[in-house]
Amino acid sequence: MDPVTNPYTPNAGAEPQALIGRDDQLASFELLLRRIDRGMTEQSMIVSGLRGVGKTVLLGRFRTKALESGWAVIELEVSKHDDDQFRRDISARLRTALFQLSPKAKWNERMRHAAAVLKAFAIHLDPVGGVSAGIDVEAAEGLADHGDLGLDLTDVLVAIGEAAKADCRGVVLLFDEIQFLSSRQLESVIQALHKLVQRKLPVTLVGAGLPQIAELAGDAKSYAERLFKFPSIGDLDDHDARAALAEPAKAEGAAYSDEALDRAVAITGGYPYFIQELGYAAWGLAAGPTITREDIEDTIPVYESKLDSSFFRVRLDRATELQRAYLRAMAELGPGPQKAADVAALLGRTSPQVAPVRAELINMGLLYTPEHGYAAFTVPHFDLFMKRAMPRLDVPEPRSRKKDAS
């Protein structure tokens, strides 16, 4: 069929033609904005889920809804940076939020105060004024200049929240990959948000991250579980998965046979990103206008090759030899959560010997711990990929044996 009209979007964070199965999260976000608009409080949200389930897409839809409601939006894709770089990143985005709230020519006293606090927040990292360019006010004294990230972030967000409230506006922070915040950074964000809730200021946070984020937030601040909702998203049920494939095709005058949809859902497991990849590949191979089961079968090698060379491979390429062996041993045991002792046994080692490898893989975002003593892949179907990429489980010899052999 015509590649120009291909309705599928297998790109990172790209919103699909039909956003299916996420109505509950969209409704929760709308409720959050509407309650804060009324001067009430509502728990912020951190959406969690595996890779490829559509967390970034949801943040994009949240952004659209916030802007339509007149809110200023601060977007940040979190990276592993030290506190100084995090301060620079958030300062630049807070500066943008000030100008979203009001053009500088129309700043009132609250806005000028917020600008002064922001300048104090950024100035010791940026003495030449790059981050605070266009903010021609004196830096505030005694606010956001403590040298403590938690106190300083609280001061600047409170000042911006007071300015937004005076202008009957709101500010929403959208943080993607939030699990990559350091414990201190996450603690500071939660601390600031807690103060905003206490003062009923119209600033809220919606984050997206891997499944371990709820535990990380709880470890950072014990009251995080009362400050946030932690909705989890995953694969689509059979009805929604079929709709995610069929509706975009229907909009372009094409259709799937029932058998094709059955097979496509089975292959993808109902995971949104995989649905987009399979749909895109099937569109390119099928003669149409009806995509058949045979078309889906013919698509499988193309589909798997695309995932292997990009979605999966980019993660495996960062792993060391022993880390790859650990991942392959987990795949040998199956797709679900695996006990650390069982993985170690396959590697011919004890749990304490491979514990550092497991910790490294968790820190890299390749594994998470759904319960104590267990680890699971953060990427759906990663077990199948590991078996394709490493048909055999090859365990590297311990370093001590290598030295003895030499």
mmCIF file of all heavy atoms in Angstrom, residues 109-146:
data_model
loop_
_atom_site.group_PDB
_atom_site.id
_atom_site.type_symbol
_atom_site.label_atom_id
_atom_site.label_comp_id
_atom_site.label_asym_id
_atom_site.label_seq_id
_atom_site.Cartn_x
_atom_site.Cartn_y
_atom_site.Cartn_z
ATOM 1 N N GLU A 109 4.083 43.133 40.262
ATOM 2 C CA GLU A 109 5.058 43.001 41.352
ATOM 3 C C GLU A 109 5.349 41.534 41.669
ATOM 4 O O GLU A 109 6.489 41.170 41.951
ATOM 5 C CB GLU A 109 4.534 43.717 42.596
ATOM 6 C CG GLU A 109 5.555 43.835 43.720
ATOM 7 C CD GLU A 109 6.816 44.578 43.296
ATOM 8 O OE1 GLU A 109 6.722 45.516 42.471
ATOM 9 O OE2 GLU A 109 7.910 44.199 43.774
ATOM 10 N N ARG A 110 4.335 40.688 41.621
ATOM 11 C CA ARG A 110 4.537 39.258 41.887
ATOM 12 C C ARG A 110 5.464 38.631 40.848
ATOM 13 O O ARG A 110 6.327 37.823 41.172
ATOM 14 C CB ARG A 110 3.184 38.531 41.886
ATOM 15 C CG ARG A 110 2.331 38.800 43.114
ATOM 16 C CD ARG A 110 2.886 38.094 44.331
ATOM 17 N NE ARG A 110 1.963 38.167 45.455
ATOM 18 C CZ ARG A 110 2.270 37.768 46.692
ATOM 19 N NH1 ARG A 110 3.462 37.265 46.938
ATOM 20 N NH2 ARG A 110 1.383 37.864 47.657
ATOM 21 N N MET A 111 5.269 38.989 39.596
ATOM 22 C CA MET A 111 6.116 38.451 38.535
ATOM 23 C C MET A 111 7.550 38.926 38.693
ATOM 24 O O MET A 111 8.498 38.150 38.511
ATOM 25 C CB MET A 111 5.559 38.855 37.168
ATOM 26 C CG MET A 111 4.333 38.072 36.723
ATOM 27 S SD MET A 111 4.681 36.316 36.442
ATOM 28 C CE MET A 111 5.868 36.427 35.102
ATOM 29 N N ARG A 112 7.730 40.188 39.018
ATOM 30 C CA ARG A 112 9.098 40.691 39.206
ATOM 31 C C ARG A 112 9.773 40.018 40.393
ATOM 32 O O ARG A 112 10.968 39.725 40.352
ATOM 33 C CB ARG A 112 9.070 42.209 39.376
ATOM 34 C CG ARG A 112 8.838 42.963 38.066
ATOM 35 C CD ARG A 112 9.079 44.445 38.223
ATOM 36 N NE ARG A 112 8.028 45.073 39.018
ATOM 37 C CZ ARG A 112 6.897 45.534 38.511
ATOM 38 N NH1 ARG A 112 6.667 45.453 37.201
ATOM 39 N NH2 ARG A 112 5.992 46.096 39.295
ATOM 40 N N HIS A 113 8.992 39.762 41.434
ATOM 41 C CA HIS A 113 9.547 39.051 42.588
ATOM 42 C C HIS A 113 9.971 37.634 42.194
ATOM 43 O O HIS A 113 11.048 37.162 42.576
ATOM 44 C CB HIS A 113 8.517 38.987 43.719
ATOM 45 C CG HIS A 113 8.941 38.138 44.882
ATOM 46 N ND1 HIS A 113 9.949 38.498 45.758
ATOM 47 C CD2 HIS A 113 8.493 36.916 45.299
ATOM 48 C CE1 HIS A 113 10.100 37.556 46.670
ATOM 49 N NE2 HIS A 113 9.232 36.587 46.414
ATOM 50 N N ALA A 114 9.113 36.948 41.429
ATOM 51 C CA ALA A 114 9.445 35.595 40.972
ATOM 52 C C ALA A 114 10.712 35.611 40.128
ATOM 53 O O ALA A 114 11.575 34.727 40.242
ATOM 54 C CB ALA A 114 8.279 34.997 40.187
ATOM 55 N N ALA A 115 10.842 36.626 39.269
ATOM 56 C CA ALA A 115 12.037 36.749 38.435
ATOM 57 C C ALA A 115 13.280 36.963 39.288
ATOM 58 O O ALA A 115 14.352 36.409 39.007
ATOM 59 C CB ALA A 115 11.863 37.890 37.443
ATOM 60 N N ALA A 116 13.154 37.756 40.342
ATOM 61 C CA ALA A 116 14.289 38.020 41.230
ATOM 62 C C ALA A 116 14.712 36.747 41.967
ATOM 63 O O ALA A 116 15.908 36.474 42.140
ATOM 64 C CB ALA A 116 13.929 39.115 42.224
ATOM 65 N N VAL A 117 13.734 35.959 42.399
ATOM 66 C CA VAL A 117 14.047 34.700 43.090
ATOM 67 C C VAL A 117 14.689 33.716 42.116
ATOM 68 O O VAL A 117 15.661 33.018 42.456
ATOM 69 C CB VAL A 117 12.785 34.106 43.741
ATOM 70 C CG1 VAL A 117 13.096 32.751 44.379
ATOM 71 C CG2 VAL A 117 12.216 35.057 44.782
ATOM 72 N N LEU A 118 14.176 33.648 40.890
ATOM 73 C CA LEU A 118 14.768 32.769 39.883
ATOM 74 C C LEU A 118 16.204 33.190 39.592
ATOM 75 O O LEU A 118 17.088 32.338 39.435
ATOM 76 C CB LEU A 118 13.937 32.788 38.601
ATOM 77 C CG LEU A 118 14.503 31.996 37.420
ATOM 78 C CD1 LEU A 118 14.730 30.528 37.784
ATOM 79 C CD2 LEU A 118 13.579 32.107 36.202
ATOM 80 N N LYS A 119 16.457 34.474 39.533
ATOM 81 C CA LYS A 119 17.814 34.951 39.264
ATOM 82 C C LYS A 119 18.753 34.521 40.384
ATOM 83 O O LYS A 119 19.882 34.095 40.142
ATOM 84 C CB LYS A 119 17.831 36.462 39.105
ATOM 85 C CG LYS A 119 19.100 36.991 38.451
ATOM 86 C CD LYS A 119 18.889 38.383 37.912
ATOM 87 C CE LYS A 119 20.075 38.816 37.042
ATOM 88 N NZ LYS A 119 19.834 40.143 36.421
ATOM 89 N N ALA A 120 18.270 34.600 41.626
ATOM 90 C CA ALA A 120 19.076 34.146 42.756
ATOM 91 C C ALA A 120 19.331 32.646 42.678
ATOM 92 O O ALA A 120 20.418 32.171 43.026
ATOM 93 C CB ALA A 120 18.362 34.494 44.059
ATOM 94 N N PHE A 121 18.327 31.906 42.220
ATOM 95 C CA PHE A 121 18.441 30.451 42.095
ATOM 96 C C PHE A 121 19.532 30.055 41.094
ATOM 97 O O PHE A 121 20.255 29.079 41.289
ATOM 98 C CB PHE A 121 17.090 29.876 41.652
ATOM 99 C CG PHE A 121 17.037 28.388 41.501
ATOM 100 C CD1 PHE A 121 16.942 27.562 42.603
ATOM 101 C CD2 PHE A 121 17.061 27.794 40.245
ATOM 102 C CE1 PHE A 121 16.874 26.190 42.468
ATOM 103 C CE2 PHE A 121 16.994 26.421 40.091
ATOM 104 C CZ PHE A 121 16.901 25.618 41.210
ATOM 105 N N ALA A 122 19.650 30.868 40.020
ATOM 106 C CA ALA A 122 20.562 30.500 38.930
ATOM 107 C C ALA A 122 21.905 31.203 38.960
ATOM 108 O O ALA A 122 22.857 30.716 38.375
ATOM 109 C CB ALA A 122 19.885 30.789 37.586
ATOM 110 N N ILE A 123 22.015 32.320 39.654
ATOM 111 C CA ILE A 123 23.135 33.222 39.407
ATOM 112 C C ILE A 123 24.487 32.647 39.827
ATOM 113 O O ILE A 123 25.500 32.897 39.173
ATOM 114 C CB ILE A 123 22.885 34.583 40.109
ATOM 115 C CG1 ILE A 123 23.811 35.646 39.503
ATOM 116 C CG2 ILE A 123 23.058 34.471 41.626
ATOM 117 C CD1 ILE A 123 23.419 37.058 39.886
ATOM 118 N N HIS A 124 24.546 31.853 40.906
ATOM 119 C CA HIS A 124 25.859 31.357 41.331
ATOM 120 C C HIS A 124 26.394 30.284 40.387
ATOM 121 O O HIS A 124 27.592 29.995 40.377
ATOM 122 C CB HIS A 124 25.792 30.830 42.762
ATOM 123 C CG HIS A 124 25.165 29.482 42.914
ATOM 124 N ND1 HIS A 124 23.809 29.288 42.870
ATOM 125 C CD2 HIS A 124 25.725 28.255 43.119
ATOM 126 C CE1 HIS A 124 23.546 28.004 43.038
ATOM 127 N NE2 HIS A 124 24.683 27.349 43.194
ATOM 128 N N LEU A 125 25.502 29.719 39.551
ATOM 129 C CA LEU A 125 25.952 28.762 38.531
ATOM 130 C C LEU A 125 26.189 29.439 37.193
ATOM 131 O O LEU A 125 26.885 28.913 36.335
ATOM 132 C CB LEU A 125 24.882 27.668 38.345
ATOM 133 C CG LEU A 125 24.684 26.720 39.514
ATOM 134 C CD1 LEU A 125 23.481 25.823 39.248
ATOM 135 C CD2 LEU A 125 25.923 25.888 39.760
ATOM 136 N N ASP A 126 25.589 30.600 37.041
ATOM 137 C CA ASP A 126 25.608 31.258 35.737
ATOM 138 C C ASP A 126 25.865 32.755 35.935
ATOM 139 O O ASP A 126 24.993 33.582 35.673
ATOM 140 C CB ASP A 126 24.264 31.027 35.028
ATOM 141 C CG ASP A 126 24.249 31.566 33.603
ATOM 142 O OD1 ASP A 126 25.321 31.628 32.987
ATOM 143 O OD2 ASP A 126 23.162 31.944 33.143
ATOM 144 N N PRO A 127 27.054 33.122 36.424
ATOM 145 C CA PRO A 127 27.309 34.518 36.770
ATOM 146 C C PRO A 127 27.241 35.476 35.593
ATOM 147 O O PRO A 127 27.020 36.660 35.771
ATOM 148 C CB PRO A 127 28.720 34.476 37.376
ATOM 149 C CG PRO A 127 29.337 33.216 36.849
ATOM 150 C CD PRO A 127 28.205 32.255 36.705
ATOM 151 N N VAL A 128 27.413 34.972 34.349
ATOM 152 C CA VAL A 128 27.351 35.863 33.187
ATOM 153 C C VAL A 128 25.914 36.114 32.749
ATOM 154 O O VAL A 128 25.663 36.917 31.857
ATOM 155 C CB VAL A 128 28.165 35.292 31.998
ATOM 156 C CG1 VAL A 128 29.638 35.172 32.372
ATOM 157 C CG2 VAL A 128 27.623 33.942 31.550
ATOM 158 N N GLY A 129 24.957 35.404 33.341
ATOM 159 C CA GLY A 129 23.557 35.731 33.088
ATOM 160 C C GLY A 129 22.918 35.046 31.908
ATOM 161 O O GLY A 129 21.875 35.495 31.440
ATOM 162 N N GLY A 130 23.490 33.948 31.415
ATOM 163 C CA GLY A 130 22.902 33.275 30.261
ATOM 164 C C GLY A 130 21.520 32.730 30.549
ATOM 165 O O GLY A 130 20.585 32.926 29.775
ATOM 166 N N VAL A 131 21.365 32.037 31.695
ATOM 167 C CA VAL A 131 20.075 31.461 32.045
ATOM 168 C C VAL A 131 19.055 32.550 32.338
ATOM 169 O O VAL A 131 17.874 32.431 32.010
ATOM 170 C CB VAL A 131 20.227 30.511 33.260
ATOM 171 C CG1 VAL A 131 18.864 30.103 33.791
ATOM 172 C CG2 VAL A 131 21.020 29.275 32.862
ATOM 173 N N SER A 132 19.504 33.639 32.969
ATOM 174 C CA SER A 132 18.578 34.699 33.361
ATOM 175 C C SER A 132 18.550 35.846 32.365
ATOM 176 O O SER A 132 18.124 36.952 32.695
ATOM 177 C CB SER A 132 18.946 35.225 34.756
ATOM 178 O OG SER A 132 20.310 35.626 34.796
ATOM 179 N N ALA A 133 18.987 35.597 31.120
ATOM 180 C CA ALA A 133 18.941 36.639 30.094
ATOM 181 C C ALA A 133 17.522 37.151 29.927
ATOM 182 O O ALA A 133 16.568 36.377 29.860
ATOM 183 C CB ALA A 133 19.465 36.091 28.773
ATOM 184 N N GLY A 134 17.388 38.468 29.852
ATOM 185 C CA GLY A 134 16.070 39.062 29.711
ATOM 186 C C GLY A 134 15.372 39.302 31.029
ATOM 187 O O GLY A 134 14.297 39.904 31.059
ATOM 188 N N ILE A 135 15.959 38.839 32.143
ATOM 189 C CA ILE A 135 15.383 39.078 33.471
ATOM 190 C C ILE A 135 16.205 40.191 34.119
ATOM 191 O O ILE A 135 17.144 39.938 34.866
ATOM 192 C CB ILE A 135 15.395 37.790 34.329
ATOM 193 C CG1 ILE A 135 14.644 36.669 33.615
ATOM 194 C CG2 ILE A 135 14.784 38.042 35.689
ATOM 195 C CD1 ILE A 135 14.617 35.351 34.361
ATOM 196 N N ASP A 136 15.890 41.434 33.792
ATOM 197 C CA ASP A 136 16.692 42.571 34.242
ATOM 198 C C ASP A 136 16.179 43.117 35.570
ATOM 199 O O ASP A 136 15.708 44.248 35.675
ATOM 200 C CB ASP A 136 16.729 43.665 33.171
ATOM 201 C CG ASP A 136 15.354 44.054 32.670
ATOM 202 O OD1 ASP A 136 14.378 43.378 33.081
ATOM 203 O OD2 ASP A 136 15.255 45.006 31.899
ATOM 204 N N VAL A 137 16.243 42.225 36.572
ATOM 205 C CA VAL A 137 15.923 42.618 37.942
ATOM 206 C C VAL A 137 17.088 42.182 38.822
ATOM 207 O O VAL A 137 17.893 41.324 38.440
ATOM 208 C CB VAL A 137 14.612 41.956 38.434
ATOM 209 C CG1 VAL A 137 13.419 42.395 37.599
ATOM 210 C CG2 VAL A 137 14.729 40.430 38.417
ATOM 211 N N GLU A 138 17.191 42.781 39.990
ATOM 212 C CA GLU A 138 18.213 42.372 40.938
ATOM 213 C C GLU A 138 17.849 41.018 41.548
ATOM 214 O O GLU A 138 16.668 40.744 41.818
ATOM 215 C CB GLU A 138 18.360 43.414 42.053
ATOM 216 C CG GLU A 138 18.934 44.743 41.592
ATOM 217 C CD GLU A 138 20.373 44.601 41.113
ATOM 218 O OE1 GLU A 138 21.138 43.839 41.745
ATOM 219 O OE2 GLU A 138 20.732 45.239 40.108
ATOM 220 N N ALA A 139 18.848 40.189 41.766
ATOM 221 C CA ALA A 139 18.597 38.897 42.395
ATOM 222 C C ALA A 139 18.081 39.091 43.812
ATOM 223 O O ALA A 139 18.547 39.981 44.542
ATOM 224 C CB ALA A 139 19.874 38.060 42.411
ATOM 225 N N ALA A 140 17.112 38.283 44.195
ATOM 226 C CA ALA A 140 16.574 38.362 45.548
ATOM 227 C C ALA A 140 17.643 37.940 46.556
ATOM 228 O O ALA A 140 18.524 37.131 46.254
ATOM 229 C CB ALA A 140 15.345 37.462 45.665
ATOM 230 N N GLU A 141 17.550 38.500 47.732
ATOM 231 C CA GLU A 141 18.463 38.124 48.808
ATOM 232 C C GLU A 141 17.710 37.334 49.861
ATOM 233 O O GLU A 141 16.604 37.717 50.262
ATOM 234 C CB GLU A 141 19.093 39.374 49.436
ATOM 235 C CG GLU A 141 20.013 40.138 48.495
ATOM 236 C CD GLU A 141 20.694 41.304 49.180
ATOM 237 O OE1 GLU A 141 20.490 41.471 50.404
ATOM 238 O OE2 GLU A 141 21.419 42.047 48.499
ATOM 239 N N GLY A 142 18.316 36.226 50.272
ATOM 240 C CA GLY A 142 17.710 35.405 51.307
ATOM 241 C C GLY A 142 16.703 34.402 50.803
ATOM 242 O O GLY A 142 16.109 33.652 51.590
ATOM 243 N N LEU A 143 16.488 34.381 49.495
ATOM 244 C CA LEU A 143 15.584 33.404 48.888
ATOM 245 C C LEU A 143 16.301 32.705 47.738
ATOM 246 O O LEU A 143 16.943 33.367 46.908
ATOM 247 C CB LEU A 143 14.317 34.078 48.355
ATOM 248 C CG LEU A 143 13.331 34.624 49.394
ATOM 249 C CD1 LEU A 143 12.252 35.447 48.716
ATOM 250 C CD2 LEU A 143 12.697 33.494 50.204
ATOM 251 N N ALA A 144 16.204 31.380 47.692
ATOM 252 C CA ALA A 144 16.801 30.566 46.621
ATOM 253 C C ALA A 144 18.305 30.758 46.516
ATOM 254 O O ALA A 144 18.882 30.475 45.467
ATOM 255 C CB ALA A 144 16.128 30.856 45.275
ATOM 256 N N ASP A 145 18.936 31.225 47.596
ATOM 257 C CA ASP A 145 20.395 31.415 47.578
ATOM 258 C C ASP A 145 21.058 30.719 48.765
ATOM 259 O O ASP A 145 22.144 31.082 49.194
ATOM 260 C CB ASP A 145 20.750 32.907 47.571
ATOM 261 C CG ASP A 145 20.196 33.670 48.774
ATOM 262 O OD1 ASP A 145 19.562 33.025 49.650
ATOM 263 O OD2 ASP A 145 20.399 34.905 48.844
ATOM 264 N N HIS A 146 20.385 29.686 49.286
ATOM 265 C CA HIS A 146 20.894 28.983 50.464
ATOM 266 C C HIS A 146 22.041 28.035 50.132
ATOM 267 O O HIS A 146 22.801 27.635 51.020
ATOM 268 C CB HIS A 146 19.770 28.176 51.121
ATOM 269 C CG HIS A 146 18.512 28.948 51.352
ATOM 270 N ND1 HIS A 146 18.376 29.918 52.304
ATOM 271 C CD2 HIS A 146 17.305 28.898 50.708
ATOM 272 C CE1 HIS A 146 17.150 30.417 52.268
ATOM 273 N NE2 HIS A 146 16.477 29.821 51.300
#
